[in-house]
Amino acid sequence: MNYDNKKHTNELIHESSPYLLQHAHNPVNWKAWNDKSLDEAQENNKLLLISVGYSACHWCHVMEHESFEDEAVAEIMNSNYVNIKVDREERPDVDQVYMNAVQIMTGMGGWPMNVVALPDGRPVWGGTYFKKEQWMDALKQISYLYKSQPEKLVEYAEKLDQGLKQLQIIEPIKETHKLHRDFFIPIIEKWKKSFDFNNGGYQRAPKFMMPNNYKFLMRYAFQNSDEDLMQQCLLTLNRISWGGVYDPIEGGFSRYSVDEKWHVPHFEKMLYDNAQLVQLYSKAYKITKNDWYKDVIDSTLKFINAEMTDESGAFYSALDADSEDENGKKEEGAYYVWTKNELNTILDLDFELFATYYNINNYGKWEAENYVLIRTKTRSELASEFNISEDELKNRISNCHEKLKVARLKRKKPALDDKSLTSWNGMMISGYTEAHKAFGQEQFLETAEKNASFILTQQIQTNGRLYHTYKKGKSSINGYLEDYAFVITAFLDLYESKFEEKYLHHAQNLISVVEEDFQDKSSGLFFFNSIKDRQLVTKTIEINDNVIPASNSEMARNLFRFGKLTGNLEYVRKAEKMLQTIMDKISEYPQAYSNWLDLMLNFTNPFFEIAITGGNYKKMAKSFQDDYLPNIVLAATSSKSDMNLLKDRLVNGKDLIYICTEGSCQLPVESKHEALQHISQV
């Protein structure tokens, strides 16, 4: 029984999240996650029904259409539960706590995530997507049990609560490990066994890009001269960017591939993937000088600028997977896929070349006569096949892209999630600064600075704390550890790009807030939520690196880097203590600790602080940034500075380079060539 959109309006109409607003006209009496809703459940002794998703989630839309738009389902939900709809991107803390519960209960997780909890928030039942009949039956049974035998649900909640608390126990360090490069040898050997040597990535489907894994592996391979590992990293980057997960028409990456060859994506485009992949491909370009990587970065940043950036410089969150096809029906990927007839008509004489380039054949076919573009050969191989130069091939394919872009823009675009998340904006700043370091294009740095200005003017509260979200002039939700971690990284990246000390001061201010509001004194790590927020049923300490690095590993890397730049080695010691705390967990599943392992390389291999002084400091600094040097921090100035690395090092009329380790510097040199003689990788 479907309802008329205009017939119902619930409390979500007052929210700013596009995902919550999508549910504002459901017949379900949805409420947002806030004190009022949570207090209502306790005051009326009603079960909580917590439903978590995000705007670009295909199965979230399916469950909404099948169940939440249905009045019979809504009647069951409204009569027996306080129904709370959560945007997981707005409330990653709520998502994390209840996802842990669902994984304990069912052994798996995903979105939409649906949980029933006692009035005090302790979970008792949950899962992901449910068909309408399953959903109705389960809700009736749980409601009946709560009314007839509430003690059974309370007993189960107590047991589950203990399990959730066990997950969060971080044992204090019993003994300090010696940080030695031999630690990596068995870990890398174990890691290699999971590689897909044909398609890149890991031997599994679906395939996620996991940029942080490859950032670490590429660095390890470079610093330890592991040629096989480096080739596997580059194979992975090639196959990802040749596959359907990368959009060669308008740029940008989708979230993951549903198959093992990176062909058919789950079509939503997320800011955090694109931010991290721009960083990764920029680093890979420095190593290889492969022009294809430059093309990938250029087109991805054009996509970010055209589709994911507002006038204030803020970056939006996501583009949906679904869009309307020619019949007005919402289909996954409708905006992105092509039929052979369409391609033939649009491309005309270049169709044969394009069809070979992108496998418009059985290999590239998806479903219902639709093709997803996928390459399997280098441009050099394809040029030889057609007996044309690489330049001609590149120009003709580029012309095809332009024609297809014009045709595609006549289609209905996927929905945009136009909220801005502080953490993801920080990541995108780092993407732009990394691209600037690789290619020297000033507009990349200008975009990064504009976004930093947005964060400083809109996302910092009067008490110096960060907000988490922003939309159309309104900032809201107190920041999480991830917001601080990735914005501090962004400010440090901006310092090492612009060499303006204000960015170090901004980073210092945020580090001070983290130490005051998030510190877990027993472990030396940081909680995900601020002590100023209403406490959830469990307190989360995030240590596992996933598609996005853990907020604790990112903070540890920030403390190390800030300590090296400022000469305050207490921060370096804090970073090492954090690393020591999680050391025993790494060997079991190293892929979940790649950002920590990247930090460990700073301790096990040589690390250098480079100070550049003199009138040509920008030009000299840029010459270092052209190279892949993962084991340095860089400070530079043309004027007097009180920074530890730069103090008393300016000599009038001279451009000088100082190579330092732990604050102790060698005699200055005047050329990059001389300086590099003192910088080793192992």
Side-chain angles (χ1 to χ4, degrees), residues 180-191 220:
H180 194 277
R181 67 189 65 166
D182 288 350
F183 180 86
F184 292 99
I185 295 170
I187 282 173
I188 296 296
E189 288 309 307
K190 181 177 183 178
W191 209 318
Y220 178 86

Side-chain angles (χ1 to χ4, degrees), residues 163-389:
L164 288 169
K165 286 185 166 65
Q166 282 293 121
L167 283 179
Q168 297 305 320
I169 291 175
I170 309 283
E171 297 287 347
I173 304 168
K174 291 188 175 70
E175 59 176 310
T176 302
H177 297 269
K178 180 174 172 53
L179 299 179
H180 194 277
R181 67 189 65 166
D182 288 350
F183 180 86
F184 292 99
I185 295 170
I187 282 173
I188 296 296
E189 288 309 307
K190 181 177 183 178
W191 209 318
K192 287 179 178 179
K193 290 174 183 173
S194 65
F195 289 156
D196 179 340
F197 294 104
N198 294 317
N199 300 299
Y202 300 122
Q203 299 169 36
R204 64 183 182 221
K207 274 187 169 171
F208 289 83
M209 272 74 111
M210 307 303 291
N212 190 258
N213 278 193
Y214 291 98
K215 182 179 135 194
F216 160 69
L217 291 170
M218 201 162 66
R219 177 181 173 185
Y220 178 86
F222 179 82
Q223 289 197 247
N224 293 277
S225 303
D226 188 332
E227 189 57 33
D228 289 342
L229 180 57
M230 180 62 78
Q231 288 309 311
Q232 180 64 21
C233 293
L234 298 177
L235 169 70
T236 299
L237 266 62
N238 287 341
R239 293 295 183 175
I240 288 172
S241 58
W242 291 0
V245 289
Y246 170 69
D247 178 4
I249 310 301
E250 291 182 83
F253 293 87
S254 295
R255 190 161 150 252
Y256 63 88
S257 166
V258 301
D259 54 63
E260 76 285 348
K261 61 185 183 182
W262 307 104
H263 181 209
V264 178
H266 199 12
F267 288 91
E268 70 262 47
K269 290 180 177 178
M270 314 298 294
L271 183 69
Y272 61 79
D273 285 317
N274 286 279
Q276 293 181 91
L277 287 164
V278 166
Q279 295 174 55
L280 182 63
Y281 279 87
S282 296
K283 291 175 189 294
Y285 176 81
K286 288 184 183 183
I287 294 170
T288 65
K289 304 302 181 189
N290 183 341
D291 281 341
W292 169 243
Y293 297 160
K294 184 176 189 294
D295 291 348
V296 168
I297 293 159
D298 279 341
S299 68
T300 299
L301 292 179
K302 282 176 184 170
F303 158 73
I304 295 295
N305 184 58
E307 303 294 338
M308 304 285 279
T309 309
D310 85 356
E311 291 175 0
S312 71
F315 301 119
Y316 300 134
S317 294
L319 280 176
D320 207 335
D322 300 351
S323 54
E324 290 181 12
D325 63 16
E326 66 273 16
N327 301 314
K329 184 184 176 188
K330 274 208 164 185
E331 293 284 355
E332 190 176 0
Y335 183 71
Y336 299 101
V337 299
W338 306 94
T339 65
K340 190 178 283 190
N341 285 341
E342 282 178 312
L343 292 171
N344 213 337
T345 302
I346 296 164
L347 301 179
D348 196 17
L349 296 176
D350 275 329
F351 171 74
E352 185 187 346
L353 175 69
F354 188 88
T356 303
Y357 193 97
Y358 281 119
N359 287 285
I360 308 305
N361 51 34
N362 285 337
Y363 188 84
K365 194 172 186 179
W366 178 32
E367 61 183 21
E369 302 306 315
N370 287 316
Y371 291 82
V372 176
L373 306 183
I374 180 170
R375 268 173 67 193
T376 49
K377 296 178 181 176
T378 65
R379 291 195 285 212
S380 173
E381 289 169 326
L382 287 157
S384 296
E385 200 171 316
F386 279 85
N387 198 26
I388 57 177
S389 69

